[in-house]
Amino acid sequence: MSHSSVFATLTTASVIFSTLGINSKAAAQSLTVNNTEVTNYAQSVLAMEPDRQQAFEEIKKMIGEKEIPKIVCNDVNSMSSLPRKAMDIAVNYCNRSQKIVENHGLTIERFNKITVEIQNSSDLKRQVYNTLLRLQNTSDKSK
């Protein structure tokens, strides 16, 4: 994966929950995130991204030219304007994403807090970015 692709993935992680996401409300105080959590977060984001893209494209095809509304996984009302099949796609994505996050050793609450902190901390954003690069490089070499 090129540096621009990793940057795009990180950018997506920072806003991954603006469309097809999990509510990322968190307190404004600074959050301490250890190296294991950074790695788990990055692995989760990389694992979720293909599903997110696929779900987004499928929903986009279903609703046509209309703009996809902001979908928040733990806010059923955010999906209420979607056609039934599109809502099912969003719900399935949300369920898979939660499992991915949990399989990588984080709770949804912790994942959301880290997402918010990335938006507020250039140091954490850089750390996650570098971890994404490292993970992607490792993945590319193992292929």
Side-chain angles (χ1 to χ4, degrees):
M1 182 183 267
S2 68
H3 289 289
S4 60
S5 296
V6 171
F7 181 75
T9 300
L10 179 57
T11 302
T12 299
S14 296
V15 296
I16 196 168
F17 299 115
S18 64
T19 302
L20 291 178
I22 300 165
N23 194 354
S24 59
K25 291 180 183 171
Q29 71 241 16
S30 183
L31 183 70
T32 301
V33 181
N34 67 41
N35 289 338
T36 300
E37 289 177 315
V38 168
T39 299
N40 293 348
Y41 182 90
Q43 289 172 331
S44 297
V45 168
L46 287 172
M48 280 189 282
E49 184 57 13
D51 276 354
R52 189 198 65 80
Q53 288 177 1
Q54 181 179 359
F56 182 83
E57 288 304 317
E58 288 178 26
I59 292 171
K60 191 172 174 91
K61 285 178 189 172
M62 286 182 185
I63 66 172
E65 296 297 315
K66 290 190 277 183
E67 187 174 325
I68 295 179
K70 180 177 179 177
I71 299 168
V72 179
C73 285
N74 59 355
D75 179 4
V76 177
N77 293 328
S78 72
M79 300 181 204
S80 63
S81 66
L82 292 173
R84 184 71 185 148
K85 285 186 178 185
M87 188 184 306
D88 290 344
I89 291 168
V91 168
N92 287 335
Y93 165 78
C94 291
N95 290 336
R96 287 189 311 269
S97 293
Q98 181 172 348
K99 284 186 173 91
I100 288 169
V101 168
E102 291 169 350
N103 288 341
H104 286 97
L106 295 171
T107 64
I108 289 300
E109 293 77 19
R110 186 66 177 169
F111 183 90
N112 290 339
K113 286 178 181 177
I114 294 169
T115 299
V116 170
E117 188 63 23
I118 286 170
Q119 296 167 0
N120 298 324
S121 168
S122 58
D123 288 342
L124 181 58
K125 184 182 284 187
R126 188 176 322 103
Q127 190 177 2
V128 171
Y129 174 82
N130 289 335
T131 302
L132 285 166
L133 276 175
R134 179 179 52 80
L135 291 171
Q136 194 58 47
N137 287 336
T138 302
S139 173
D140 288 346
K141 289 177 184 173
S142 67
K143 290 181 180 176

